[in-house]
Amino acid sequence: MYVVATLMSLLPVVLAVNVLRISLVDGADLRQRVDTQSTSSVTIAAMRGSIHDAAGRNLAVNVRTWTLAADPTVRAARADMAAWSADIARAARLPVARVRQQIRNRASSQYAVIARDIELPASNMEALSAIDGVRLEEGFDRKYHHGTASSHVLGHVDTDLRGISGLELLYDDVLTGTPGRQEVRRDRMNRRSFDVGLVRVEPEHGESITLTMDLVMQEIMEQELARGAEASGANWGVAIAMDPRTGAILGMANWPTYDPNNPGAFPVAAQRNHAINDLIEPGSTFKLISAVAAVEAGQMSLADTVDTGIGVEVRSGYELRDTHTLGRVTFREVIQESSNIGMARIADQLDRGRFYAYARDFGFDQPTWVDLPGEESSRVKRPDRWSATTASALSRGYEIQATPLQMLTAYAALANRGVLVRPYVVAARHNAEGRLLWQATPEEVRRVFSRETAEALIPAFEAVVDSGTATQARLDGVRVAGKTGTASKYVNGSYSQSRYRATFAGFFPVEDPTVAMIVIMDEPRSSIYGGAVSAPVFRNIASRWLSAFPHLNATPVPVPDDAPVGAPAARPGSGAAPGAGTQRGAAAQPVLAVAERMETAPKRERPEALLAEGRMPNVTGLSAREATWLLMSAGTEVTLSGEGLVREQWPAPGAALTASARLVLRP
Amino acid sequence: MKILTAIQPDGRQAADKLLLWAVFVLSAIGVVAVYSAISFLADTRADGNTERFLVQHVLRVVFALGVMGFFSIVNYHVLARFARFFLLFSLGLLVLVQITGVITGGAARWLDIGIIGFQPSDLAKVALVLYVAVLLTAKQGYITSFTHAFLPVFFWILLTVGLIGVDDLSTAALVLLSVLVMCFVARVPVLHIVAVGLVGVLLGYALLLTSPARAARVEAYTGMKLFPHTEAQDVFSSQGERYQVEQSKMAVAAGGLFGVGPGKSTQRDFLPAPYNDFIFAIVTEEYGLVGAFVLLGLFMLILFRGLFRVARHAPDPLGLFLAVGLVVMLTLYAFVHVGVSVEVFPVTGLPLPFVSWGGTSMAAGGMMMGILLNISRHIE
């Protein structure tokens, strides 16, 4: 009995020792394995941020999509492949041949993507998911609601929704956000289950981006550029506009353009943003820099005369030509008539270092640092590497390479009376909850030349439009200044006699410029001249902008930089960039939304004017956001009901403003 | 409990309270542990309805305690009179199982009698202990005789063990060991016991040769390639035969000192049959070393209390032999179950008495404990 008891009690002792050994000696390692095998984590996708125009319209958004995939190894498929694929084709409304082809060409044996991004009625979706072996996978896709509009600025994304060009690329990190993660329990059949107390990291959805550009302005620009480019038979055309005071880009259009929803359907050349990706010899538009240098150096005034001879001059072995003989003309006329010989004569007298210094101060030795990816850096030769011809070549825009945007900033500097500003396209960034994270502040790069020089030169550039080479850029009732350029292209080692780039760069209104714009056409065929090809495009864009957005000509009301927030006329509709009051460019844009609506109701009194008089404006037809901003800017509390557009309002239009207003919305 | 101890149709005193308490505590632990461990099964078989299994388990516990109560008030001498009948009946069932067994877990161990699956080996082992105790008592006068004592006793032992062992080698081994201990206590010559033990080992080896699955488990346990008919790759990989023991050790280690807490086991999702074959590992994971030692302690209590309080003071040799056999078998079950979890024994599907999920095994436990308690009523 005692033998039995002893032997039997040995057993639990052995067991206890083993339990202790496992728990204490091998414990750490085994516990680690428990954690590894029992948890796994599921990624919670972060939504890619959207991109809005200045008025808050969605330019790029994420949409939910369905991918149709099938496993052709399921029993139903093996039994009768023909019937099975026919079922799928019928439910998916696809040709049977295509379904079969996709199944045949699948990459892995049990998974064939039949179609991506399918859009079907619910009944078809149900029918599809009822078919054995069919998988409908949910995903996100990027949609650019306005197609080609501002495509070169927006850029596009790849199939994994990672930006590969434009803002999508530059701001990819902030747009992408950070995916979250949910730790889940898994069991030996690899089934996952959620459990309380497991780590959950919420995804950080991507930030949304608000542009400085307004969709309507952009579309006008693109239409006019396309029209002009097609009419002139150009290879490509580019138009860029910016607010010369702030640097906010107002429009950036390329022709040919492409649809970022389906970039593969367009040639790569169409996806090129010539505004920043192309280095070109600017030609005569560069005479601005020569003129600034000459005036600042004190060697020329506009009234001084230059002898341009008979319009042909041979210098250091090459021939310099004017379009027509001018004889002895004033400096002003040299600009006005774009005399190459006259400019070269002036440049002859310029100190090389000084000339170079001005080019450099205009920023021609670096990029503009606009917030778009892939910007080329402009190039200008250092004076110690200049040849005998460089000074005269440079004076009329050769032997220098600059992007179209770079040229535009130079004209913006003239419009801004000598102060160069950095161009930018992103006005603000908001997080997924709509909180403002970052806001662009206009950045003055430097004062390149004095206000006096600017005031002295502007009349010459105005004369270019009034009576010089760019009369086609003239606008009714708005003073425009600018300069044409007709640059011979450097092809195969020599300057071509048949291929040119036609440019017009200018700004308006001259008194207090709100827009500086450049239009370039590559190899136009109808005419080679900037004044004939590009200036009309400039005019068409400008006149349509001015009629749609009258504030662009709101000359006598300069808004000082430190204007108190809430100047009523400028505030409504700035929902996309609330509090953009420090920024004059943005301050000008909010009315755009209102103005756009006014196109459809042209007879309505301008709401800002009524507000200024302390009377209730007619806000019917506006969106809730626009109406609310408009009224709140006048200090009126707004009560909304319904959704859609404003259909009824109290107080009635024209009545005295009260402390509160009620709006009824209907779709 | 009052009822169980107070009603004394026979016997001198109330049943042993410590043993009774041990069973109650074990059952209580079992209810909680099984409730947690069953969740994986519940997910796969009953859409996560764990409560259904809880209710089922509690009903089984109640049934087992009822069985225990019944046998604790039936005089074991009365049982002894029917011992031969019980054994023959259960042997008949074992044969029947071989013919019409419901195949579960790779072995034909179950007899489906309508509502519940019934495992005849559970009945047979109790019947064998009972009958061997009767035989040993009857043959005490000539216990050393080969023909008169050895042959009749070991005929029944080997017959029963052999029938059990066809499908359930580990149970057969445990039963054999238990009755051999009884024989030892009953002064059967050691030579005879060793001989039978050897026969048992040979029988076991023969059975291993017939079943690659079983052989693989033994190989996995010993870490040696012993049999020609197994695949080394399956035997020694942590996804193959080593999987269960690895997972079990992980569960034991995961518990630490105080465990991860009731119902928070993660290993239940990885251990096969955690509610049955690895309930000790689950208890250790959820309640830590504390839980493990409480379980071991309770079975040690049953062992010592059973041997030194009940068996030693049994009023007659029948009580003594019976008590020893029952106590040894019960605790051996428990220790082998624990031993499997901590890699002392090769992996085998033995339940932990009173704790594991499993109706017949729990009822058999209740029966054994009931008989033991009845003997405890008669101790001097």
Side-chain angles (χ1 to χ4, degrees), chain B residues 63 69 83 159 192 252 262 288 314 351 377:
Chain B
F63 177 70
L159 180 63
H192 293 172
V252 170
R377 286 166 180 274

Side-chain angles (χ1 to χ4, degrees), chain A residues 347 445 563:
Chain A
V445 178

Side-chain angles (χ1 to χ4, degrees), chain A residues 588-608:
Chain A
Q589 287 155 17
V591 244
L592 305 187
V594 179
E596 181 209 2
R597 299 283 179 199
M598 286 171 61
E599 282 183 304
T600 55
K603 282 180 190 162
R604 189 190 294 156
E605 263 186 283
R606 290 188 56 197
E608 304 88 58

Side-chain angles (χ1 to χ4, degrees), chain A residues 604-605 607 610-611 614-621 631 646-657 661-663:
Chain A
R604 189 190 294 156
E605 263 186 283
L610 278 168
L611 274 177
R615 287 192 294 131
M616 183 74 181
N618 181 4
V619 293
T620 54
L631 294 175
V646 178
R647 299 297 183 203
E648 291 170 47
Q649 63 174 87
W650 292 272
L657 259 188
R662 200 160 80 78
L663 304 177

Side-chain angles (χ1 to χ4, degrees), chain A residues 161-176:
Chain A
L161 297 195
R162 300 306 300 236
I164 50 177
S165 70
L167 289 174
E168 296 275 27
L169 171 63
L170 188 68
Y171 286 91
D172 193 43
D173 286 346
V174 297
L175 285 167
T176 302

Side-chain angles (χ1 to χ4, degrees), chain A residues 100-437:
Chain A
R100 294 212 180 116
Q101 187 192 348
Q102 291 289 344
I103 291 173
R104 222 174 14 251
N105 298 342
R106 66 188 185 270
S108 78
S109 64
Q110 298 190 20
Y111 184 79
V113 173
I114 309 280
R116 292 186 193 280
D117 197 8
I118 56 168
E119 277 174 41
L120 292 169
S123 58
N124 286 55
M125 294 297 266
E126 275 169 33
L128 272 178
S129 50
I131 300 174
D132 190 23
V134 168
R135 292 175 53 169
L136 284 166
E137 288 158 2
E138 196 177 5
F140 290 117
D141 195 12
R142 196 71 163 161
K143 274 279 176 280
Y144 302 90
H145 284 325
H146 299 279
T148 58
S150 65
S151 53
H152 294 89
V153 174
L154 298 177
H156 57 270
V157 293
D158 61 14
T159 45
D160 297 326
L161 297 195
R162 300 306 300 236
I164 50 177
S165 70
L167 289 174
E168 296 275 27
L169 171 63
L170 188 68
Y171 286 91
D172 193 43
D173 286 346
V174 297
L175 285 167
T176 302
T178 315
R181 146 180 88 83
Q182 166 75 63
E183 280 197 356
V184 292
R185 288 272 299 271
R186 59 173 288 269
D187 62 23
R188 65 179 186 273
M189 290 160 79
N190 211 10
R191 292 177 315 183
R192 286 162 179 175
S193 59
F194 292 90
D195 205 347
V196 284
L198 288 173
V199 180
R200 180 185 171 90
V201 180
E202 290 296 335
E204 249 181 70
H205 295 302
E207 297 171 13
S208 67
I209 286 178
T210 305
L211 304 187
T212 56
M213 294 160 33
D214 181 271
L215 179 67
V216 176
M217 293 172 81
Q218 174 71 20
E219 288 201 324
I220 290 173
M221 183 180 244
E222 290 181 13
Q223 284 166 13
E224 293 303 333
L225 176 71
R227 248 172 49 180
E230 279 159 16
S232 63
N235 269 351
W236 53 261
V238 63
I240 323 161
M242 66 189 269
D243 186 326
R245 302 162 299 186
T246 62
I249 297 285
L250 300 176
M252 183 180 278
N254 280 272
W255 186 90
T257 186
Y258 78 106
D259 183 355
N261 289 308
N262 187 13
F266 296 83
V268 178
Q271 300 178 22
R272 192 173 176 84
N273 188 356
H274 298 284
I276 56 166
N277 295 146
D278 279 17
L279 280 179
I280 57 174
E281 287 183 303
S284 293
T285 45
F286 197 75
K287 285 174 181 163
L288 166 65
I289 286 80
S290 324
V292 165
V295 171
E296 287 263 294
Q299 72 187 53
M300 288 303 270
S301 80
L302 287 176
D304 292 345
T305 55
V306 186
D307 186 6
T308 64
I310 57 162
V312 183
E313 184 177 305
V314 178
R315 296 182 147 239
S316 311
Y318 74 95
E319 198 182 68
L320 203 56
R321 276 179 182 277
D322 282 344
T323 50
H324 47 276
T325 310
L326 295 166
R328 187 159 194 94
V329 290
T330 59
F331 184 26
R332 182 193 181 105
E333 284 164 321
V334 167
I335 295 169
Q336 187 178 326
E337 297 301 331
S338 199
S339 164
N340 293 332
I341 298 167
M343 218 58 196
R345 290 267 166 82
I346 292 163
D348 287 342
Q349 299 164 38
L350 261 175
D351 174 52
R352 284 183 174 190
R354 199 159 187 138
F355 194 6
Y356 172 78
Y358 275 100
R360 195 192 56 201
D361 283 353
F362 269 103
F364 282 98
D365 62 340
Q366 54 175 309
T368 64
W369 306 110
V370 68
D371 44 354
L372 285 169
E375 189 193 7
E376 288 287 345
S377 173
S378 303
R379 287 169 206 163
V380 57
K381 279 191 203 166
R382 292 176 58 85
D384 52 357
R385 294 176 54 209
W386 286 16
S387 68
T389 61
T390 304
S392 73
L394 195 58
S395 74
R396 58 203 164 80
Y398 291 94
E399 297 196 28
I400 178 174
Q401 289 189 304
T403 60
L405 181 63
Q406 186 76 263
M407 277 319 297
L408 175 64
T409 58
Y411 277 83
L414 178 65
N416 204 22
R417 305 313 198 248
V419 177
L420 183 71
V421 292
R422 187 181 74 89
Y424 63 94
V425 296
V426 174
R429 301 210 312 264
H430 295 80
N431 69 6
E433 287 79 43
R435 198 163 52 79
L436 181 69
L437 297 178

Side-chain angles (χ1 to χ4, degrees), chain B residues 44-80:
Chain B
T44 45
R45 297 241 188 104
D47 295 331
N49 186 354
T50 329
E51 283 69 25
R52 203 187 92 193
F53 290 99
L54 176 69
V55 170
Q56 199 175 341
H57 185 66
V58 168
L59 286 177
R60 284 173 176 183
V61 168
V62 170
F63 177 70
L65 292 180
V67 169
M68 182 174 80
F70 175 75
F71 281 97
S72 74
I73 55 174
V74 176
N75 192 319
Y76 65 94
H77 294 99
V78 179
L79 284 180

